[in-house]
Amino acid sequence: MKSLVTCLLIVLIFLSSDVKTIAQSIIKGQVQNQKGVALEGVAVRLENGKVTETDNSGNYIIERLPAGAHHIRFSMVGYEALDKKVELTAGQTLILSVSIRERVQNLNEVKVEDRRNVIYTEALPDVHNNTFIAAGKKSEVVQLKGVNGNIAEKTGRQIFAKIPGVFVYDMDGSGNQINISTRGLDPHRSWEYNIRQNGVITNSDMYGYPASHYSPAMESIERVELVRGTSSLQYGAQFGGMINYVSKGPDTSKTFTFETINSAGSFGLFSSYNAIGGRIGKFTYSAYYQKRHSNGYRKNAKSDAESQFVSLSYDISRSLSIKAELGRSSYIYQIPGPLTDAMFAANPRQSTRSRNYFNPDIYVPSITLDWKINPGTYLKFTNSGVYGVRNSVIFDAFANVPDTISSLTKSYRARQVDIDNFKSFTSEIRFIHHYEIGGFKSILSGGVQYMHNKLRRRQLGKGTTGSDFDLTVTDPAFGRDLYMTTDNIAIFAENMICLSSKLSVSPGFRIESGATDMTGKISYYSPENLPNKIKHKFPLFGISTQYRIDAQNRIYAGFSQAYRPVVFKDIIPGSVLERVDKNLKDAYGYNLEAGVSGNVQGKMKYDIGVFQVSVNNRMGTVSMRDENNAAYLFRTVTGDTRTRGVEAYIEYSLFRSVNSSLPTELLVFTSTSYFDAKYLKGNAVVNNENTSVEGNRVEGVPNWISRNGIQFQYKKLSLTCQYSYVSSNFANPLNTIEPSANGTIGKVPGYGLLDLNGTLHITRNYSLRMGINNITNKQYFTKRPTMYPGAGIWSSDGRSIGVSFGIKI
């Protein structure tokens, strides 16, 4: 690892050295608001596609420009875009400092939009955060400031309303987690994604159990950035891609600011978010504390959650800064238990368990060094970790098996205690370098990532017969006591080559090399049958291309390989009747996408594309017989799947006023996706016999997901009425339609939901959010899980009302 980092630094020093170019010109300067305060994060775009952002001092620089006329645009969310035309002579350094105005009202029907109170999305710039190439990739950014929705409880269908294809797994309505997927992947804990906060990985263990148990307060998030699977070369090899939750930054024009958001609603909801921040000289700070309580939609579904976060940064110089962050999230969720179909039909709010609890407590520390080596070369060095526990105490049985008091002992049966301990460390160095070869502009982005993960999983512990949250075990020996240790190193690079002012091509690669060792014991399993080592060795390749029709519209296409490591749940046999293949292989495949996106005359936004996701070596179970002709179930690689589909987002403004005293807008949108997810090959076990599932639909994948809405804005009030539709899906690869007696098998019915939410900005410092979710009180469920939180049906929330009041000073 040290030698690789050393080599990389040598390369960077070489790249940073002055290279003589013929008659190159430079534009640089500072961007301020009307009060003279420097603005960070302003996008500075040239018509040839070259993009940069202002730093925390409001400064920017664009190098290696040819002589002649140039059109430059300064834009930032919440501010009026500013266009400038300049004329450069050979070798000139032009100082261009500008002031941009905040959008406080509609001044012009076409060019200026007051979008403050409207849910909207945008694509990432071609070069993002000076480290990542987004050109040619399908990307979306949700600015949460404009979201009309239930932010306190993280209602996914409202937060991701305008991102087509997002499947939301409504496992519980308490707001503890966001469980989403795209393109037919598994939404459990969003584990098909490389999940980040402010660029720092938050997945619990990328190789042992990649679920994201860390769950910051959504009130603390400024925007959500999502890049589909073609980002797998740059950020991680996950099929889903990357999701980055970007925290709110402090107002750097003040030494101290305070924000509080308090929410209340149905089912005993109360949430309080309180944050401070500011800037003192070169020192910037921010912190928050959040606490939330809910009794839950169902009986025995109480939840108590809290999260904290602190960020400290210091500008060592104009080109070098360091930032330290620490986030923590924890909650205790009382699990109401699964239902059968009959129970759900009779009363979806009933409970089958009163003694089950789930409790993750996760810390995410990080230190990041940002270094602007020269105007065209940036480096970011991050060390981070994910540390904590995932606890549960449950009576684990099918929904039709009641948790009853024994007539003999006059007490409940002992509960099962499971404890996971996470110790994941990541060191990542990333760089980006602008250069020219043969007159073609190029941007090279790359780096090295080292991960050391150690996961201890203790399961089947004998707990107490009590009813409270108690992890006490009456026998120190757990039925399963396992360690899963992974060391992995990845080298990645992507090169954006501008073939013209409009066309760019970005080839790239990622080389993953590592191994996972599993040690420990399973009480019912022979040690010699346990897998003990799984190697990860994948050279991954990809290419993206983009053609800018004009400054607002583009055509994009990309291909990228990906892989999914074998995780803990895949290699632990569930009982003495199961065995696990000792030569398991990681799943691998690719993402393929193409589309067109943009804005037509300021009235219609669109992003329409097609995709294909291929996943080979999916895990499954087959029936086998041993040397004594005794039958057993064998967990091994059984199938390949392919998901094809269309993703379409269209937003059209029906009316927008030009009256500055009465800003009004009425628009409609649709965010719709179609999925064709099928098994190309595979087997499933029926009555101890192997049955082919070739041609069957992939479980948990609906054919249609469509979110449609109408938004109305008048002065400081905005309203969103949204209808969400998800078609039916199957719970197993056999595509069984009739439900089983225990609720684990059968078709998952389609459903439609109607929501109405609004935001009133009373003044610049006071805001009020209101909402009625699931107005028609639709009784529905989204999946039939076979693992946590229990096998069977999990009711999603019925009608609820919520109110949030925010103050910012």
Side-chain angles (χ1 to χ4, degrees):
M1 175 63 186
K2 291 182 178 179
S3 60
L4 284 170
V5 173
T6 302
C7 291
L8 183 58
L9 288 174
I10 292 173
V11 171
L12 288 170
I13 293 171
F14 172 75
L15 292 174
S16 66
S17 60
D18 292 333
V19 179
K20 292 183 179 180
T21 55
I22 299 174
Q24 69 176 16
S25 299
I26 296 173
I27 301 175
K28 64 180 181 179
Q30 187 184 58
V31 182
Q32 301 176 339
N33 64 15
Q34 289 178 291
K35 297 179 180 179
V37 177
L39 295 176
E40 180 182 3
V42 178
V44 185
R45 182 191 299 274
L46 266 67
E47 59 186 0
N48 65 3
K50 182 171 282 191
V51 181
T52 188
E53 292 183 354
T54 57
D55 60 19
N56 54 16
S57 298
N59 297 316
Y60 74 93
I61 185 167
I62 304 176
E63 295 187 299
R64 297 175 175 84
L65 296 174
H70 292 273
H71 177 271
I72 184 170
R73 165 168 284 202
F74 302 86
S75 62
M76 185 179 183
V77 174
Y79 287 81
E80 183 179 342
L82 178 66
D83 295 311
K84 290 286 187 180
K85 288 186 178 179
V86 297
E87 188 78 25
L88 294 178
T89 59
Q92 179 185 5
T93 297
L94 175 65
I95 307 298
L96 180 62
S97 295
V98 299
S99 174
I100 59 177
R101 295 192 298 175
E102 188 172 1
R103 293 173 181 161
V104 295
Q105 56 188 7
N106 285 354
L107 299 176
N108 183 287
E109 183 180 9
V110 176
K111 292 186 178 181
V112 181
E113 304 175 20
D114 185 351
R115 310 291 286 176
R116 174 187 311 278
N117 304 331
V118 179
I119 304 174
Y120 64 99
T121 60
E122 57 192 1
L124 291 172
D126 291 349
V127 178
H128 181 49
N129 285 339
N130 291 323
T131 57
F132 173 58
I133 296 173
K137 299 175 177 63
K138 183 175 178 64
S139 63
E140 290 113 338
V141 181
V142 178
Q143 300 286 348
L144 289 189
K145 188 174 184 179
V147 168
N148 291 324
N150 188 354
I151 301 298
E153 294 187 293
K154 305 174 183 174
T155 304
R157 67 178 181 271
Q158 295 165 8
I159 294 173
F160 298 97
K162 292 190 174 182
I163 298 185
V166 172
F167 178 75
V168 180
Y169 176 18
D170 289 331
M171 186 167 54
D172 64 75
S174 60
N176 292 322
Q177 299 281 168
I178 288 183
N179 300 276
I180 64 170
S181 67
T182 53
R183 298 181 174 177
L185 299 169
D186 189 344
H188 179 73
R189 300 277 187 238
S190 305
W191 64 358
E192 298 279 10
Y193 290 98
N194 189 287
I195 306 291
R196 298 184 176 228
Q197 181 180 15
N198 304 329
V200 173
I201 293 176
T202 63
N203 299 73
S204 298
D205 185 327
M206 202 66 78
Y207 299 91
Y209 197 70
S212 183
H213 295 100
Y214 175 70
S215 185
M218 194 55 63
E219 295 97 327
S220 73
I221 302 301
E222 177 182 289
R223 65 183 185 273
V224 184
E225 302 168 345
L226 189 151
V227 189
R228 305 297 172 110
T230 48
S231 68
S232 57
L233 300 182
Q234 282 283 296
Y235 276 109
Q238 288 68 41
F239 278 95
M242 185 274 296
I243 298 178
N244 186 31
Y245 295 95
V246 181
S247 301
K248 293 177 180 177
D251 184 346
T252 56
S253 66
K254 299 179 180 179
T255 58
F256 179 82
T257 60
F258 173 72
E259 181 181 21
T260 181
I261 302 174
N262 295 279
S263 306
S266 302
F267 321 128
L269 170 67
F270 178 76
S271 175
S272 181
Y273 164 83
N274 301 277
I276 61 172
R279 183 178 178 89
I280 304 171
K282 296 183 177 182
F283 178 71
T284 304
Y285 70 96
S286 63
Y288 79 78
Y289 175 81
Q290 176 250 5
K291 194 173 183 65
R292 184 183 63 249
H293 170 82
S294 173
N295 293 327
Y297 176 64
R298 296 173 59 191
K299 185 180 179 182
N300 298 318
K302 184 177 70 173
S303 173
D304 286 287
E306 62 178 77
S307 62
Q308 302 92 30
F309 181 79
V310 60
S311 176
L312 306 173
S313 63
Y314 183 77
D315 296 331
I316 300 172
S317 68
R318 292 176 63 89
S319 60
L320 185 64
S321 65
I322 188 168
K323 179 172 64 176
E325 294 182 335
L326 175 63
R328 183 217 175 200
S329 74
S330 176
Y331 62 87
I332 299 176
Y333 172 51
Q334 187 176 10
I335 310 172
L339 303 178
T340 66
D341 288 75
M343 292 173 179
F344 178 80
N347 179 12
R349 300 187 67 176
Q350 67 178 294
S351 168
T352 57
R353 302 287 181 263
S354 62
R355 305 188 299 137
N356 290 10
Y357 298 87
F358 182 72
N359 164 234
D361 191 351
I362 306 296
Y363 292 82
V364 180
S366 67
I367 296 179
T368 301
L369 183 73
D370 278 295
W371 182 20
K372 185 178 180 181
I373 300 175
N374 64 36
T377 306
Y378 300 82
L379 180 143
K380 178 174 287 189
F381 183 40
T382 303
N383 288 293
S384 63
V386 179
Y387 304 99
V389 294
R390 171 187 178 270
N391 304 315
S392 66
V393 52
I394 59 175
F395 171 70
D396 190 17
F398 289 118
N400 54 355
V401 178
D403 183 9
T404 57
I405 296 176
S406 169
S407 59
L408 296 177
T409 63
K410 305 300 181 181
S411 64
Y412 285 106
R413 281 185 262 180
R415 293 173 295 178
Q416 174 181 319
V417 174
D418 295 339
I419 300 174
D420 284 352
N421 296 96
F422 302 108
K423 293 181 180 180
S424 299
F425 171 78
T426 301
S427 183
E428 188 174 65
I429 186 167
R430 312 175 67 89
F431 73 91
I432 198 163
H433 179 68
H434 299 252
Y435 68 98
E436 286 188 15
I437 295 180
F440 290 109
K441 302 177 180 66
S442 294
I443 301 172
L444 175 64
S445 174
V448 178
Q449 180 191 81
Y450 170 72
M451 301 187 79
H452 174 77
N453 298 342
K454 189 170 185 178
L455 168 56
R456 185 184 185 187
R457 170 159 287 186
R458 287 170 288 173
Q459 295 179 318
L460 304 181
K462 187 176 180 181
T464 69
T465 60
S467 298
D468 59 342
F469 176 62
D470 186 356
L471 296 173
T472 302
V473 289
T474 58
D475 184 342
F478 283 77
R480 292 192 284 254
D481 192 350
L482 302 167
Y483 291 87
M484 200 167 188
T485 304
T486 301
D487 284 284
N488 193 84
I489 190 165
I491 303 172
F492 52 91
E494 190 168 0
N495 194 23
M496 176 181 170
I497 304 171
C498 297
L499 300 178
S500 71
S501 61
K502 295 185 175 182
L503 178 64
S504 66
V505 177
S506 304
F509 72 90
R510 184 182 186 92
I511 298 176
E512 295 255 345
S513 180
T516 297
D517 292 295
M518 190 179 84
T519 58
K521 68 178 182 67
I522 299 177
S523 60
Y524 53 82
Y525 205 67
S526 299
E528 63 271 13
N529 289 330
L530 284 175
N532 51 29
K533 191 164 190 174
I534 301 171
K535 293 183 178 181
H536 315 285
K537 289 190 181 294
F538 283 92
L540 306 172
F541 300 94
I543 187 169
S544 298
T545 185
Q546 175 176 285
Y547 179 78
R548 287 206 168 272
I549 302 170
D550 53 37
Q552 298 289 327
N553 301 275
R554 66 167 185 153
I555 301 171
Y556 61 89
F559 166 86
S560 183
Q561 293 177 300
Y563 85 100
R564 177 193 296 150
V566 174
V567 299
F568 233 144
K569 78 175 188 68
D570 293 331
I571 60 177
I572 297 178
S575 69
V576 293
L577 301 177
E578 285 190 5
R579 298 184 188 178
V580 180
D581 190 348
K582 290 192 66 174
N583 298 305
L584 286 175
K585 296 180 180 179
D586 295 317
Y588 69 95
Y590 62 83
N591 280 273
L592 180 66
E593 65 185 19
V596 57
S597 67
N599 192 319
V600 180
Q601 297 181 348
K603 292 185 69 67
M604 185 178 76
K605 286 186 175 183
Y606 66 95
D607 191 340
I608 303 172
V610 296
F611 70 87
Q612 178 170 301
V613 178
S614 176
V615 182
N616 304 313
N617 284 356
R618 290 179 71 110
M619 283 289 297
T621 303
V622 296
S623 179
M624 303 282 286
R625 291 188 178 272
D626 61 19
E627 60 276 7
N628 298 319
N629 203 35
Y632 64 92
L633 299 176
F634 190 54
R635 291 188 56 76
T636 186
V637 172
T638 62
D640 301 339
T641 62
R642 181 185 63 204
T643 303
R644 292 173 172 170
V646 179
E647 299 165 330
Y649 167 63
I650 301 174
E651 175 189 298
Y652 186 76
S653 179
L654 298 172
F655 173 78
R656 187 180 304 156
S657 76
V658 295
N659 188 335
S660 60
S661 63
L662 296 173
T664 306
E665 182 173 17
L666 180 66
L667 62 85
V668 293
F669 72 88
T670 182
S671 176
T672 300
S673 291
Y674 171 76
F675 304 96
D676 178 25
K678 291 183 178 179
Y679 278 90
L680 301 182
K681 67 176 183 179
N683 290 287
V685 177
V686 181
N687 296 325
N688 276 335
E689 292 187 1
N690 297 323
T691 301
S692 173
V693 295
E694 181 178 341
N696 286 9
R697 284 171 55 184
V698 178
E699 64 274 17
V701 184
N703 284 132
W704 291 95
I705 298 177
S706 183
R707 297 185 178 93
N708 308 273
I710 183 167
Q711 296 174 198
F712 175 71
Q713 179 187 349
Y714 177 71
K715 291 187 176 180
K716 297 177 180 180
L717 172 68
S718 69
L719 297 172
T720 301
C721 184
Q722 176 180 310
Y723 178 75
S724 304
Y725 171 74
V726 179
S727 65
S728 62
N729 64 83
F730 293 104
N732 64 352
L734 292 167
N735 291 179
T736 305
I737 296 177
E738 293 300 319
S740 60
N742 57 20
T744 60
I745 296 174
K747 203 168 187 178
V748 177
Y751 56 90
L753 306 172
L754 186 65
D755 302 325
L756 178 64
N757 288 276
T759 302
L760 176 64
H761 290 271
I762 303 170
T763 67
R764 291 181 62 86
N765 298 327
Y766 299 92
S767 63
L768 180 68
R769 274 199 176 106
M770 311 146 281
I772 306 176
N773 303 308
N774 192 358
I775 294 174
T776 61
N777 199 30
K778 176 70 176 179
Q779 306 300 309
Y780 72 104
F781 59 96
T782 55
K783 280 191 69 178
R784 298 177 187 264
T786 57
M787 52 180 184
Y788 174 84
I793 290 174
W794 288 84
S795 305
S796 298
D797 283 7
R799 181 170 48 242
S800 65
I801 299 174
V803 178
S804 296
F805 182 65
I807 303 173
K808 191 171 184 178
I809 56 177

